[in-house]
Amino acid sequence: MVGEVLGGLSVKTLAFTAILTPFLASLACAVIPEEKGKLLGYIASAACLISLISLALIFKATPSSSARNLAILLDGLSLLFSLLICLLGFLACVFSLAYVSTRYRFYYSLLMVFIGSMNATVLFNNVLVFLAFLEISTISSAVLVAYRGDKRSLEASLKYLVMCSFGVSLLSLGLSFYMHSLGAYSLSLVGAPKLVAYPTLTLIFLLVGLGVKAGVTPLHFWLPDAHGEAPAPVSALLSGMCIHLGIYGLLRFFPVLATDAVNVKAYWVLTGLGLLTMYLGALCALTQSNLKRMLAYSSVDEIGYMVLALGLAFYSLASGLKECLCLALGAAVLEVFAHAVSKSLLFLGSGVVERSAGTLTMEKLGGLRVKLPVTAVCFVTVSYTHLRAHETSLHLVCRLLLE
């Protein structure tokens, strides 16, 4: 039960500890003198570690069906995403200790807001709070994209902010139709049998709003610029978890879309967008000369696999194929997990390459196996591991297509 005690702390207390700790760390980073920059990095790393431990204790002690009547939502989906956010946030903060050398207060205070807002987005059990923290994560990360302060980073930041804020606005409109019909704003009630007033309009607003955040083609134009111009730890979080908030939204609001009125429409739309995103993402990745932009476009490609799997889930639901529905949703979640971990590590590796070689132009990066042997081994290992996980999820998708 949610009220059970774990080492003297209730699950509810642990959950709020995981949510609030990054924001408290942000306040601390904002007031500590700039001269103690390394201390700010240690505070940020400790905050993420505390949140991660709190969530791990909850995951170990709490059934996935619990926390339905609280202000927080602790089902399997939210816990998985929250654990990934805190884990990758911790890695980004530790990496930042060696990567960041100026504007410590600016960087770490915003980084903690970014991580904390993503965590709050997936843990609070309220649609309005979900939308608010989704927008806060957009604003804080957009400012971090402009960390370098040059023209290119400012343009990338502005493009990212405008497009994703527009997406959140459309998402708000789409959810308002459903929540008005439902008469409540609790995320745990999503999926309750209720006739949506404008099902097709709701589908369009939700898919466009979440598609912008996820970087689905043709709404992905902000993504390569933002990932390419942001500091490496921020790029790791943008690709590792921020874009996956769009996939989280599709998974969370799947019951809203999965109605007889929109099942077939959603299948065709998501399958078409998934295939288009996969093709264009892979094609653009092959033509890039900048390492981070290549990784960014490969993220677009892999978002396409997740969207394709969700499209097949709608088809399975419309056809009454429950086993295929589980396979499709499982493939999407597996791809999220594999992409989040591997792409974050690869972006952090790109930061090492940039600091060592002074460039990210791949034509000028020869001989790094000798100069950076550990980084080279890590790059190959992470890439191979991700390919194996990607192969598994692709196998599930192919099995669905054959069936």
Side-chain angles (χ1 to χ4, degrees), residues 1-2 11 58 62-70 72-75:
M1 299 298 293
V2 176
V11 171
I58 295 172
T62 309
S64 62
S65 60
S66 62
R68 292 295 183 182
N69 297 316
L70 295 176
I72 50 176
L73 185 62
L74 297 176
D75 60 6

Side-chain angles (χ1 to χ4, degrees), residues 60 68 115 126 162 164 171 190 221 223 251 266 296 312 352:
K60 180 180 179 181
R68 292 295 183 182
I115 295 170
N126 185 281
V162 170
C164 287
L171 178 61
V190 168
F221 297 108
L223 193 151
L251 290 167
L312 294 174
V352 177

Side-chain angles (χ1 to χ4, degrees), residues 145-199:
V145 168
Y147 173 77
R148 303 182 195 277
D150 56 21
K151 182 180 179 180
R152 291 179 59 182
S153 63
L154 290 172
E155 289 178 350
S157 174
L158 182 60
K159 183 190 298 184
Y160 169 42
L161 179 62
V162 170
M163 289 194 67
C164 287
S165 295
F166 173 71
V168 172
S169 300
L170 290 183
L171 178 61
S172 303
L173 287 174
L175 288 176
S176 66
F177 292 135
Y178 178 78
M179 291 303 168
H180 178 72
S181 301
L182 190 62
Y185 291 91
S186 174
L187 282 170
S188 60
L189 297 177
V190 168
K194 203 72 178 178
L195 183 63
V196 182
Y198 306 99

Side-chain angles (χ1 to χ4, degrees), residues 229-277:
E229 295 302 322
V234 178
S235 298
L237 289 174
L238 283 172
S239 183
M241 280 316 303
C242 189
I243 61 175
H244 290 143
L245 292 181
I247 302 300
Y248 170 83
L250 288 173
L251 290 167
R252 174 62 67 195
F253 300 117
F254 182 83
V256 178
L257 300 172
T259 61
D260 294 337
V262 299
N263 265 342
V264 177
K265 296 176 185 177
Y267 159 65
W268 284 110
V269 171
L270 285 176
T271 302
L273 288 176
L275 291 172
L276 180 64
T277 303

